[in-house]
């Protein structure tokens, strides 16, 4: 667990905090990787054996004071004697030295789901939870697409097969006007089709998916069926459908039944999860690599950690979940019998569906990438958001995490579908251009990354302050205070919390009673445990088929920190964290943009900057009696804050807050979903890209430059590397020496730096190389955001001015604020 604060030293009181106008908050990565807490080894400590304060229920930690007869809680000051069973080992020095919970850096323990919600007695009554589980992956592929999109998806699915463990179960499902279910457990893949309803209400399909193909047949073990799954993936072809009514051709029902397919899958999983006798069968079946999907019994815990990958080539436009309003013609009722299933063998030489024509361009009614707009008159349907909210809640209840991979030059309606990822803990990957899409790499990174399930995060603080607001993909518990639920998160997932003072007195100034914070993160982990090979096996199985037992472990991380107190503005400024401040500002402003509108959010952000700088100027003038007030709009006297004006300016210029339309209508939604989960350092790079220069591929000139043309001139270097988080742009200046190779050698420092960035990043940034005077370098020059935006400068100068003009305007507003208190 990584915990960072916007202010390294807390202002002594709310009055001092207001005088500085800096956010008082913390930024938390609850599932961050820690070397001393490896995920592949089960914790040896159990929650029932860890002492807790009987007053505030905080866990004992190394900040507590231990005496002869008991210990004093560092959080609330409550006294706890050694009579309690869980406290007895703290009575002796030897016991305290061996206790993991008393070591610095936090600790982790096995627990039950109720361990942190009651007193010590209740926690001791619950044993740690370890139930059988199985990693499962479901690919839901849009076939109403172009051939290029489908080839990209095929590459992504093959990458997914390499990323998942051999003991995982994998299902391949397609959708258009019908849902295709692939059985990959035979010598060759086969497929069954179930037709979807085009109606906005009622069942998504005429019969349940499990009636067409049992879930135990649909979920194939990767280790045993990898070749068959790969063959099924390779057989995918785009589906061209014509809706024919009695009056002729009619496409008003649409062709992309994403909502119906999603709902049908969740219903299928729900029925399997709560089927009678599932629990008893689960314990009999076990979970190992050699177990066939046909033999697996399902229950609710069995789906914990299931990853559903949805691939979209355009907006859902048919039936439930359609993001487009349409005039739906009356549809005849279809009886739910087995005639609705089309069975097709995927043997060599046969088409996926002999009853429906497939065209080489692979589009449905011209709605693929790069083709004409929908011939049916349609407009966005806000009601779709409610459908996806309900679907996301059902998925979260089953433990299913949904990731959306969308590739389209036109809008897909991600604003309506975003609950699918935000509620289930998934992610959205938007690719406006297929040529630059890193979908296979992104899938591999995403599926290779560990995930915490069913997370609950509680923040306990000393009495002088508390949590006031929470930000990120989480939701507040209705019963317990300071408890938030996190459906799923990765080591990179980040959340922010606003803090507030309990009273005007603030914090004590004595060293022996500092402000205290204890973070408790409880989560489930699908953990692999080695198991003995079956005794019936006469031959040694290959490595890919070695039996592995999976269990769902309930764990709890506890991190306690003591903070120092600042008693004057200069100390507050000295210990500020610009990246954490940006993180909190982004969360607050993006929420304001949704609730109150974009222009109001922009004004709030700029007003905050003016107020913070005005107070800084006032505090600086007060520290030098008799000195004339000279307005500083760049925090020149506070080195730690000098990045703030640039970051605010960059946030205002970013596609998320820019008043001008983006090249893609879903850019704002996808950026919001991405930025809201980024760690502070990554968010700073995404908002204000990192520009460095090199004298040659093996010699760095300067580690950082401002994003201006003047920086390029003054640097005098021939090579620049721009890191925008989602891409890495290598720019060679016009007239660079011919002795410098282009592109740089793979063994050079520049290439190694690029590779290191790619490896540590949660997504795969695209590497782009340009030569000035030879290539089109607009992708590089347009990211020099300190320059005025020429494209829109005649329409709205105030919104698109350069950094220099922006700071001049801020300086004028600071002067007005100080003089008139405006």
């Amino acid at each position: 667990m990584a915990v960072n604060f916007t202010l390294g030293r807390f202002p002594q009181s709310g009055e001092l905090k207001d005088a500085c106008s800096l956010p008082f908050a913390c930024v938390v990565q609850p599932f961050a990787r820690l070397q001393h807490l490896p995920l592949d080894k089960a914790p040896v400590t159990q929650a029932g054996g860890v002492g807790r304060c009987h007053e505030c229920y905080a866990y004992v930690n190394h900040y507590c004071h231990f005496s002869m007869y008991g210990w004093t809680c560092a959080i609330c000051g409550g006294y706890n004697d050694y009579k309690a069973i869980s406290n007895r080992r703290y009575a002796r020095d030897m016991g305290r030295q061996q206790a993991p919970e008393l070591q610095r850096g936090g600790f982790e323990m096995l627990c039950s789901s109720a361990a942190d919600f009651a007193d010590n007695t209740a926690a001791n009554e619950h044993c740690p939870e370890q139930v059988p589980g199985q990693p499962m992956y479901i690919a839901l592929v849009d076939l109403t697409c172009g051939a290029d999109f489908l080839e990209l998806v095929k590459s992504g699915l093959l990458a997914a097969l390499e990323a998942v463990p051999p003991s995982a179960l994998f299902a391949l499902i397609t959708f258009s006007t019908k849902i295709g279910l692939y059985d990959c457990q035979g010598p060759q893949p086969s497929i069954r089709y179930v037709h979807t309803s085009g109606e906005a209400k009622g069942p998504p399909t005429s019969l349940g998916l499990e009636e067409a193909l049992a879930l135990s047949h649909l979920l194939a073990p990767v280790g045993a069926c990898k070749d068959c799954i790969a063959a099924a993936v390779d057989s995918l072809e785009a589906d061209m459908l014509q809706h024919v009514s009695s009056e002729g051709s009619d496409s008003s029902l649409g062709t992309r039944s994403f909502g119906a397919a999603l709902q049908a899958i969740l219903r299928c999983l729900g029925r399997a999860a709560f089927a009678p006798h599932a629990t008893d069968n689960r314990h009999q079946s076990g979970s190992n690599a050699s177990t066939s999907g046909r033999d697996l019994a399902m229950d609710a815990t069995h789906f914990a950690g299931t990853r559903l990958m949805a691939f979209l080539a355009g907006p859902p436009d048919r039936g439930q979940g359609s993001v487009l309003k349409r005039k739906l013609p009356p549809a005849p009722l279809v009886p739910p019998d087995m005639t609705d299933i089309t069975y097709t063998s995927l043997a060599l030489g046969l088409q996926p569906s002999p009853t429906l024509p497939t065209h080489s361009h692979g589009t449905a009614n011209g709605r693929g990438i790069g083709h004409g707009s929908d011939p049916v008159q349609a407009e966005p349907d806000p009601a779709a958001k409610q459908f996806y909210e309900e679907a996301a809640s059902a998925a979260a209840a089953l433990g299913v995490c949904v990731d959306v991979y969308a590739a389209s030059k036109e809008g897909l309606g991600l604003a309506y579908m975003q609950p699918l990822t935000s509620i289930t803990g998934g992610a959205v990957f938007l690719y406006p251009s297929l040529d630059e899409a890193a979908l296979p790499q992104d899938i591999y990174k995403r599926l290779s990354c560990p995930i915490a399930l069913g997370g609950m995060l509680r923040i306990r603080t000393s009495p002088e302050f508390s949590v006031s607001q929470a930000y990120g993909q989480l939701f507040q518990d209705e019963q317990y205070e300071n408890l938030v639920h996190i459906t799923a998160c990765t080591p990179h997932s980040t959340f922010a919390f606003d803090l507030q003072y309990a009273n005007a007195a603030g914090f004590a100034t004595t060293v022996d009673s500092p402000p205290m914070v204890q973070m408790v993160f409880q989560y489930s982990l699908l953990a692999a445990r080695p198991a003995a090979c079956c005794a019936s096996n006469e031959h040694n199985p290959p490595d890919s088929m070695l039996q592995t037992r999976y269990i769902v472990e309930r764990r709890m991380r506890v991190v306690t920190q003591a903070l120092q107190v600042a008693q004057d503005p200069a100390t507050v400024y000295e210990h500020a964290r610009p990246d954490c401040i940006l993180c909190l500002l982004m969360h607050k402003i993006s929420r304001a943009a949704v609730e109150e509108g974009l222009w109001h959010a922009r004004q709030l952000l700029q007003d905050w900057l003016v107020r913070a700088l005005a107070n800084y100027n006032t505090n600086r003038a007060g520290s030098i009696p008799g000195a004339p007030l000279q307005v500083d709009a760049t925090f020149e006297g506070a080195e730690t804050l000098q990045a703030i004006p640039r970051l605010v300016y960059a946030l205002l210029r970013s596609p998320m807050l820019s008043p001008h339309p983006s090249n893609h209508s879903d850019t704002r939604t996808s950026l919001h979903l991405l930025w809201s989960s980024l760690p502070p350092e990554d968010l700073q790079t995404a908002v204000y890209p990192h520009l460095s220069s090199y004298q040659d591929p093996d010699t760095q000139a300067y580690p950082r430059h401002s994003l201006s043309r003047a920086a390029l001139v003054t640097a005098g270097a021939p090579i620049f590397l721009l890191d925008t988080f989602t891409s890495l742009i290598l720019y060679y200046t016009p007239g660079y020496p011919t002795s410098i190779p282009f592109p740089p050698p793979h063994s050079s420092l520049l290439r190694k730096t690029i590779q290191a960035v790619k490896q540590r990043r949660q997504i795969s940034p695209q590497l782009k190389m340009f030569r000035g005077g030879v290539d089109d370098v607009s992708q590089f020059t347009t990211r020099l955001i300190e320059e005025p935006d020429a494209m829109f400068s005649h329409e709205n100068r105030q919104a698109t001015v350069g950094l220099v003009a922006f700071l001049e305007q801020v300086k004028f507003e600071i002067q007005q604020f100080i003089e008139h208190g405006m």
Side-chain angles (χ1 to χ4, degrees):
M1 185 185 302
V3 182
N4 294 291
F5 296 89
T6 55
L7 304 174
R9 292 198 178 183
F10 286 4
Q12 192 273 327
S13 64
E15 181 180 1
L16 178 58
K17 181 257 181 187
D18 293 339
C20 297
S21 293
L22 297 179
F24 179 39
C26 66
V27 179
V28 184
Q29 291 173 251
F31 197 50
R33 299 178 188 270
L34 300 175
Q35 291 185 354
H36 68 287
L37 298 177
L39 295 177
D40 57 346
K41 295 182 180 179
V44 295
T45 307
Q46 296 187 5
V50 178
R52 300 180 64 182
C53 176
H54 72 282
E55 293 188 13
C56 70
Y57 306 135
Y59 290 91
V60 65
N61 53 82
H62 67 277
Y63 292 105
C64 296
H65 175 70
F66 297 90
S67 61
M68 182 176 296
Y69 300 105
W71 56 274
T72 303
C73 177
I75 305 297
C76 70
Y79 182 77
N80 303 269
D81 58 43
Y82 294 138
K83 293 180 180 179
I85 296 177
S86 59
N87 289 336
R88 290 178 182 175
R89 62 177 176 150
Y90 308 128
R92 298 179 178 274
D93 291 339
M94 183 63 68
R96 294 196 293 268
Q97 293 174 4
Q98 296 176 349
E101 60 269 28
L102 299 184
Q103 309 303 314
R104 294 181 179 272
F107 69 100
E108 193 166 69
M109 52 188 169
L110 295 173
C111 66
S112 69
S113 58
D116 194 52
F117 306 123
D119 58 17
N120 297 339
T121 302
N124 292 334
E125 290 175 353
H126 294 84
C127 297
E129 295 177 1
Q130 289 184 327
V131 297
Q134 187 75 25
M136 299 183 192
Y137 302 86
I138 301 174
L140 182 58
V141 181
D142 181 2
L143 293 185
T144 59
C145 62
D148 291 341
F149 170 85
L150 200 54
E151 288 302 315
L152 183 66
V153 172
K154 290 180 181 180
S155 299
L157 293 176
L158 295 179
L161 291 178
E162 298 300 324
V164 303
S167 51
L169 300 179
F170 194 95
L172 178 61
I173 303 175
T174 61
F175 67 93
S176 53
T177 58
K178 63 184 184 298
I179 300 173
L181 308 172
Y182 284 76
D183 185 348
C184 299
Q185 298 191 47
Q188 59 189 18
S190 59
I191 181 173
R192 289 171 172 82
Y193 288 109
V194 177
H195 293 275
T196 63
S197 168
E199 301 298 325
K201 295 182 180 180
T205 56
S206 55
L207 71 165
L209 300 186
E210 69 279 3
E211 297 180 61
L213 182 65
L215 190 60
S216 58
H217 289 247
L218 180 63
L219 291 164
V222 174
C225 306
K226 188 173 183 178
D227 292 340
C228 191
I229 298 173
V233 169
D234 187 61
S235 70
L236 293 177
E237 292 193 16
D239 210 352
M240 180 67 179
L241 300 176
Q242 296 292 336
H243 298 277
V244 181
S245 65
S246 59
E247 300 177 357
S249 179
D250 182 12
S251 60
S252 62
L253 285 176
T255 59
R256 190 172 285 112
S257 303
F258 175 62
L262 177 67
Q263 190 178 45
I265 291 172
L266 294 177
R267 287 189 176 189
C268 179
L269 296 179
R271 293 189 185 103
F274 302 105
H277 311 298
T279 303
D280 295 338
N281 293 336
R282 172 190 51 149
H283 291 289
Q284 297 175 7
S285 65
S287 299
N288 53 66
S290 62
T291 300
S292 168
R294 304 177 190 271
D295 303 324
L296 288 173
M298 308 295 175
D299 70 355
T301 60
H302 208 102
F303 294 117
T306 297
R307 312 290 289 273
L308 195 156
M309 301 167 285
F311 300 90
L312 283 173
D317 60 359
R318 176 181 169 87
Q320 300 185 61
S322 172
V323 299
L324 302 176
K325 288 183 179 179
R326 296 174 176 274
K327 294 182 179 180
L328 299 177
L333 296 177
V334 180
D337 56 29
M338 296 305 290
T339 60
D340 284 290
I341 304 176
T342 303
Y343 178 87
T344 305
S345 175
L346 294 182
L348 185 64
L350 295 182
Q351 298 293 326
S353 175
T355 61
L356 295 168
T358 301
H359 298 271
S360 60
H361 58 280
T363 61
N365 296 332
R367 283 187 287 270
I369 293 180
H371 292 269
S373 60
D374 192 342
V376 179
Q377 294 296 322
E379 60 181 359
D381 186 3
K385 190 168 185 178
Q386 181 179 357
F387 170 84
Y388 288 108
E389 286 177 348
E390 294 174 354
S393 298
L398 289 168
V400 177
C401 177
V402 182
D403 295 327
V404 176
Y405 299 86
S408 174
K409 293 180 180 179
E410 301 176 346
L412 299 97
L414 291 183
Y416 306 126
M417 293 185 282
Q418 64 90 13
L420 271 182
T421 59
S422 60
I423 293 178
T424 65
V428 169
F429 297 84
L430 177 63
Y431 308 103
S433 171
L434 290 179
D435 295 334
E436 300 179 358
L439 189 147
Q441 297 90 335
D442 286 338
I443 289 181
Y444 187 89
K445 280 179 173 284
R446 180 71 179 169
L447 299 187
S448 300
C449 190
I451 185 171
L453 311 166
M456 293 181 285
L457 179 63
R458 165 166 275 169
I459 302 179
R460 294 184 173 92
T461 63
S462 50
E464 302 92 349
F465 69 114
S466 62
V467 174
S468 61
Q469 288 288 339
Y471 304 92
Q473 295 183 6
L474 44 70
F475 56 95
Q476 185 69 43
D477 188 86
E478 297 179 355
Q479 182 178 359
Y480 297 100
E481 294 183 359
N482 299 333
L483 176 67
V484 295
H485 294 261
I486 301 170
T487 307
C489 68
T490 68
H492 305 282
S493 301
T494 305
F495 310 90
F497 299 88
D498 245 334
L499 305 175
Q500 64 181 2
Y501 291 84
N503 51 60
F507 301 112
T509 57
T510 56
V511 180
D512 58 346
S513 56
M516 299 294 303
V517 176
Q518 186 175 88
M519 308 278 182
V520 181
F521 180 55
Q522 185 183 128
Y523 67 97
S524 295
L525 180 70
L526 189 59
R529 297 288 178 263
C533 296
C534 295
S536 60
N537 289 347
E538 297 180 1
H539 304 285
N540 294 328
D543 292 341
S544 60
M545 294 297 294
L546 287 177
Q547 291 182 330
T548 302
R549 181 173 59 95
Y550 279 87
I551 57 175
V552 181
E553 286 182 346
R554 195 65 181 171
R555 297 184 178 188
M556 186 185 299
R557 287 185 174 187
V558 182
V559 173
T560 308
Q561 289 190 10
L563 289 307
Q564 294 181 298
V565 175
Q567 301 186 40
D568 56 76
T571 307
V572 175
Y573 294 142
E574 182 182 356
H575 294 86
R577 282 280 305 269
D579 54 349
C580 292
I581 292 175
L582 173 66
C583 186
L584 189 79
L585 289 175
M586 187 278 303
H587 280 288
K588 300 182 79 166
I589 295 304
S590 60
R591 178 177 292 185
V594 172
E595 297 176 353
E596 304 180 53
L598 183 65
W599 284 104
H600 182 75
R602 288 175 56 85
Q603 193 61 46
L604 281 177
L605 181 58
Q606 188 159 338
D607 286 349
W608 171 83
L609 178 62
V610 170
R611 187 169 59 255
L613 280 164
N615 287 345
Y616 164 75
N617 280 270
T618 302
N619 294 329
R620 187 183 61 167
S623 64
I624 308 176
L629 179 61
Q630 295 181 350
V631 176
D632 176 9
T634 60
F635 290 107
E636 183 179 356
E639 183 178 355
T640 57
L641 293 175
Q642 290 175 4
I644 291 294
R646 275 188 165 87
L647 294 176
V648 170
Y649 169 79
L651 193 56
L652 290 169
R653 283 283 298 265
S654 70
M656 194 174 73
L657 289 181
S658 173
H660 307 299
S662 302
N663 295 331
H664 197 288
S665 61
D666 289 318
T667 297
R668 187 165 291 157
T669 299
S670 63
L671 275 185
H672 168 71
L673 293 171
L674 173 63
W675 288 6
S676 63
S677 63
L678 289 182
E681 293 182 359
D682 288 344
L683 178 62
Q684 183 169 337
T685 301
V687 173
Y688 190 91
H690 184 278
L691 179 64
S692 57
S693 61
Y694 289 78
Q695 291 292 349
D696 57 63
D698 287 303
T699 308
Q700 187 179 63
Y702 296 98
R704 192 173 191 99
H705 296 279
S706 61
L707 299 179
S708 64
R709 290 187 176 91
L712 303 184
V713 176
T714 57
I719 306 175
F720 289 87
L721 177 62
L722 182 65
D723 181 3
T724 70
F725 187 77
T726 56
S727 62
L728 292 166
I729 302 177
L730 193 59
Y731 172 68
Y732 279 52
T733 59
Y736 68 91
T738 56
S739 59
I740 298 178
F742 179 88
H746 288 279
S747 60
S748 64
L749 172 65
L750 189 53
R751 283 283 194 171
K752 292 178 180 178
T753 301
I754 292 172
Q755 191 62 29
V757 171
K758 285 186 172 184
Q759 288 181 353
R760 68 171 178 263
R761 195 144 292 171
Q762 58 183 296
I763 64 173
S764 297
Q766 280 291 94
L767 176 61
K768 305 172 184 180
M769 302 183 188
F770 304 107
R771 293 166 293 176
V774 178
D775 305 316
D776 178 7
V777 298
S778 59
Q779 293 192 54
F780 176 79
T781 56
T782 54
R783 286 173 168 84
L784 301 178
I785 58 175
E786 294 189 10
E787 303 294 335
D789 189 342
M791 183 179 297
F792 297 103
S793 58
H794 296 293
E795 298 180 12
N796 191 332
R797 290 183 180 274
Q798 179 60 32
T800 57
V801 296
L803 177 63
V804 175
F806 171 78
L807 293 178
E808 286 297 323
Q809 177 65 27
V810 169
K811 188 174 182 179
F812 173 77
E813 294 181 13
I814 293 171
Q815 189 74 40
Q816 295 293 108
F817 185 92
I818 294 175
E819 293 179 357
H820 306 289
M822 298 175 63

